[in-house]
Amino acid sequence: MKDSQSFRNAFQISLLYLLFGMIWIYFSDMWTGSFTNDSHQILIWQTYKGFFFIGVTAILLYLVSYRVLHDRYTENKTVQTHLEQQNALLSSLVNSSPDAIVIKGLDRRYIVFNKGASEFSGVETDKALGKTADEIFPPQTAKIINTIDDGLIKDDLFIEHEETMQMPNGKTYIYWVTKGLLKTQNGTIFGIYGIYRDITSMKHNEQIIIDEKERFDDMAHHDPLTGLPNRLSLIETLHRKANRIPTVPFVLMFLDLDGFKEINDSFGHRFGDQVLILFSKLLQDIFPKETLIIRTGGDEFVIIVESKIDQHTVQMHLNRLIRTLNDPFTIDQIEVYITASIGISLYPSDASNHEELLQKADAAMYKAKSFGRNTYNFYNDGLTQEVLERTTLASNLKNAISNRD
C-alpha cells in the first residue's frame, strides 16, 4: 500500500517537473526572440536562462527532497521509538515472569533465556545465550528437550504437558511445559519458544492430600485392632458384588466367637484384644489369600469366598479351622480355648441383596450355636421360619413380663 502511494507521488512530481521544463523552454525562447535577433545576444540570454532554470530546479528539488526525507526520517524515528518501546515492554514482561521463558533459533541455540530460567537452572543468562541444551543441561534433561523440539519441528506441533527435569544446579523440578514454533506471517518457521512453570510444590502438596485421603480412607475401611477390613468395607463390597453384571456367585460366612465375653470379663480387654488378633491371623492362614476376611465388630467376623471355590472346599477350610481351634491360644503364658459358630449363605441362591444375605448367614450361625457351638451350618429356608418364631416368642415373653409387672 505504501509502495503504491510512493509511486503515485513520484510520478506526480516528475510530471510537474516535465511540464514546468517544457513550458519554461517554450516561453523563455519566445521571450528571448522578441528582444533581439542578435545570435550572440541570444546565446548569452540562453546561458542565463539555463542558470536560472538550474537554480529554480535546485530549489524545488531541495524543497521536495527535504519534505520527503524529513517525513521518512520522522516516520523511521517513530517506528524506531515504537520498536524500542515494544522491545523494552517485551523484555520487562519476559524477565518479570516467574516462569522460565526461553527462545531458540533453528540452530537450537538460545537467543532468549529470561531471569526465571536462570533462577531455575542456576545458569546465568549471559552464559546461556548462544548455547545449546547439550551445552547447558545434564545429558538426560538435554535429551528430553531435544526430543520434544524434534517432534515440534517434524510434526508442526504445539504441546502442553508435565515434565520432570534435573537442572545443572543438581535440583530436580516438575514443570508444566508449554512449547511451540515461532513463525513469520507466511508460515516460515524461524524458532522455538518454551515456557516452563515450576509446579514442584503444587505436586508435592497434591501428593500430601492424596496420601492423607488414602490414609483416612484406609482408617475408615479397616479395623484398627486387627488391620482387617471393617463393616463399612463389608457393606461396600457386598453392594458392589450384588450389582455385578453378569452375576458372579459367592459364599458368605458369618463367624461368632463362642464364650468370648467370658474371656474378656475374666482376663480383661487387653487380653481379649490379643485373642481377636490371634484369631484374625488364624483365619488368614487357613483361607486362601484372595479370600476377603472382615471384622464387623466385637467378636464377629465375615468371610467372603468367590464361587470358584466349591462347597466341598469351603467345608474343608471350615473343618480345618474347627480342628485348629481345639488347640489353645497362649497369651502372656496363659492358655485359653476359643471356638466359633459359623453360618453360611450363598449368593444369589439364598438372597438377591446384601441385607438378606447377611440376615440369612446370621440365622444359620445361630442355628450352629444351637447345635452345641464350634460348628458350621448352611442356610436353608426353614431357618427363616425358626428365626421368626424365636423372635416372636421372645417378644411375647417380654410383653408378658412387662404386663405382669
Side-chain angles (χ1 to χ4, degrees), residues 103-112 128-136 145-146 149-150 153 181-182 189-193:
I103 297 176
K104 59 178 70 173
L106 293 180
D107 59 357
R108 308 299 176 87
R109 298 187 180 277
Y110 289 100
I111 55 179
V112 172
L129 296 178
K131 293 184 178 179
T132 64
D134 293 312
E135 297 174 292
I136 299 175
I145 294 173
N146 291 333
D149 291 348
D150 291 340
I153 294 177
L181 300 173
L182 296 172
I189 299 171
F190 66 90
I192 303 170
Y193 73 87

Side-chain angles (χ1 to χ4, degrees), residues 4 30 105 127 138 141 206 211 236 242 268 308 312 329 342 377 382:
S4 177
M30 287 181 59
K127 294 182 179 179
T141 300
E206 283 181 358
D211 292 343
E236 291 180 357
K308 62 184 179 181
H312 173 73
F329 289 144
I342 307 165
N377 184 61

Side-chain angles (χ1 to χ4, degrees), residues 1 28 59 87 92 102 124 152 164 203 217 229 250 356 394:
M1 189 69 179
S28 62
I59 293 172
N87 288 335
S92 177
V102 297
E124 296 179 6
L152 287 174
T164 300
K203 298 297 289 185
D217 186 70
F250 61 89
E356 290 183 8

Side-chain angles (χ1 to χ4, degrees), residues 238 241 248-253 291-292 302-311 314 318 343-347 357 378:
L238 290 177
K241 287 180 175 294
V248 178
F250 61 89
V251 179
L252 185 143
M253 292 172 271
T291 302
L292 182 60
V302 169
I303 299 174
I304 298 176
V305 182
E306 294 287 355
S307 62
K308 62 184 179 181
I309 298 179
D310 57 29
Q311 184 170 323
V314 171
L318 291 175
I344 306 164
S345 59
L346 308 176
Y347 177 87
L357 196 66
F378 283 87

Side-chain angles (χ1 to χ4, degrees), residues 28-46:
S28 62
D29 286 345
M30 287 181 59
W31 181 76
T32 302
S34 65
F35 276 93
T36 180
N37 291 321
D38 185 359
S39 59
H40 178 70
Q41 191 69 28
I42 290 173
L43 180 62
I44 293 174
W45 278 104
Q46 286 179 340

Side-chain angles (χ1 to χ4, degrees), residues 248-308:
V248 178
F250 61 89
V251 179
L252 185 143
M253 292 172 271
F254 194 100
L255 288 78
D256 182 83
L257 298 183
D258 302 321
F260 179 75
K261 183 178 183 302
E262 288 78 5
I263 294 175
N264 240 356
D265 293 341
S266 301
F267 300 103
H269 290 289
R270 189 190 68 82
F271 191 93
D273 288 345
Q274 292 301 311
V275 171
L276 292 173
I277 292 172
L278 290 176
F279 183 74
S280 66
K281 290 180 178 178
L282 178 61
L283 293 178
Q284 294 175 77
D285 290 339
I286 289 177
F287 288 91
K289 290 183 178 180
E290 61 271 16
T291 302
L292 182 60
I293 302 173
I294 299 165
R295 183 191 175 205
T296 58
D299 59 351
E300 296 177 343
F301 294 80
V302 169
I303 299 174
I304 298 176
V305 182
E306 294 287 355
S307 62
K308 62 184 179 181

Side-chain angles (χ1 to χ4, degrees), residues 37-181:
N37 291 321
D38 185 359
S39 59
H40 178 70
Q41 191 69 28
I42 290 173
L43 180 62
I44 293 174
W45 278 104
Q46 286 179 340
T47 302
Y48 288 142
K49 184 181 65 171
F51 288 155
F52 178 78
F53 180 78
I54 292 172
V56 172
T57 302
I59 293 172
L60 291 174
L61 287 174
Y62 168 77
L63 294 174
V64 171
S65 300
Y66 176 80
R67 177 64 182 274
V68 172
L69 293 175
H70 180 268
D71 290 346
R72 183 168 296 176
Y73 173 79
T74 303
E75 182 180 356
N76 290 342
K77 187 67 176 177
T78 302
V79 171
Q80 183 179 357
T81 302
H82 184 63
L83 288 175
E84 289 175 353
Q85 291 174 344
Q86 285 188 326
N87 288 335
L89 177 61
L90 181 61
S91 178
S92 177
L93 290 174
V94 169
N95 285 309
S96 63
S97 172
D99 299 333
I101 300 176
V102 297
I103 297 176
K104 59 178 70 173
L106 293 180
D107 59 357
R108 308 299 176 87
R109 298 187 180 277
Y110 289 100
I111 55 179
V112 172
F113 200 88
N114 78 333
K115 184 179 179 182
S118 178
E119 291 177 351
F120 287 160
S121 64
V123 178
E124 296 179 6
T125 299
D126 292 342
K127 294 182 179 179
L129 296 178
K131 293 184 178 179
T132 64
D134 293 312
E135 297 174 292
I136 299 175
F137 299 101
Q140 188 61 33
T141 300
K143 182 180 179 181
I144 293 173
I145 294 173
N146 291 333
T147 300
I148 295 173
D149 291 348
D150 291 340
L152 287 174
I153 294 177
K154 179 181 177 182
D155 301 322
D156 193 7
L157 297 175
F158 167 83
I159 63 166
E160 288 184 305
H161 73 290
E162 184 181 303
E163 194 70 68
T164 300
M165 296 181 178
Q166 184 182 26
M167 293 293 105
N169 56 16
K171 296 181 180 180
T172 298
Y173 296 93
I174 304 174
Y175 293 107
W176 182 254
V177 182
T178 302
K179 299 195 81 172
L181 300 173

